[in-house]
Amino acid sequence: MSTPFDQALERYDAGTAERPDLKLLTKELLKLLVAKAPGHAVEVRVPPYGAVQCIEGPRHTRGTPGAVVELPPELWIELALGRTTWPEARSTGKLRASGERTDLSELLPLVTT
């Protein structure tokens, strides 16, 4: 029996994913990132579907965090699934990473398909 994640991933792979599928995949993969690297030093933003704080280090409490990674949902999904690498993602110009500990390559992929 396939899970909602599996079903959304099947639609994503088929090129028929809709906003709810992208939202589900983004949020589930962000949860896996937090489970793998708990903490509050880096904020990972995948607008418009989610943002999490992860990686041990100084806690961020107000304003813009000192370490931010921001990227579109499709690129996040590709990275988290191991279908593209961190350097490849950086070279697209769609991934913005600033501050300490924002190279997530050691944590990826989160799931392999």
Side-chain angles (χ1 to χ4, degrees):
M1 190 165 113
S2 64
T3 66
F5 180 89
D6 294 332
Q7 294 166 4
L9 186 56
E10 285 175 23
R11 289 187 292 273
Y12 177 81
D13 288 340
T16 60
E18 295 184 9
R19 288 180 60 92
D21 297 316
L22 294 177
K23 182 178 181 178
L24 184 142
L25 293 170
T26 297
K27 288 187 166 291
E28 290 302 313
L29 292 166
L30 285 171
K31 285 181 194 174
L32 291 175
L33 175 64
V34 171
K36 189 171 188 177
H40 300 279
V42 178
E43 185 165 293
V44 178
R45 300 174 180 167
V46 186
Y49 302 122
V52 296
Q53 291 185 359
C54 59
I55 304 175
E56 289 190 23
R59 183 180 188 94
H60 163 71
T61 55
R62 295 178 59 162
T64 301
V68 175
V69 175
E70 187 168 328
L71 64 167
E74 295 84 358
L75 187 54
W76 167 242
I77 293 165
E78 293 294 309
L79 272 169
L81 297 177
R83 297 177 180 178
T84 193
T85 66
W86 186 259
E88 290 168 344
R90 292 294 305 250
S91 72
T92 68
K94 295 178 183 178
L95 184 152
R96 291 183 296 166
S98 61
E100 293 181 23
R101 297 187 235 3
T102 56
D103 182 339
L104 303 181
S105 58
E106 297 275 326
L107 301 171
L108 301 168
L110 299 169
V111 176
T112 53
T113 59

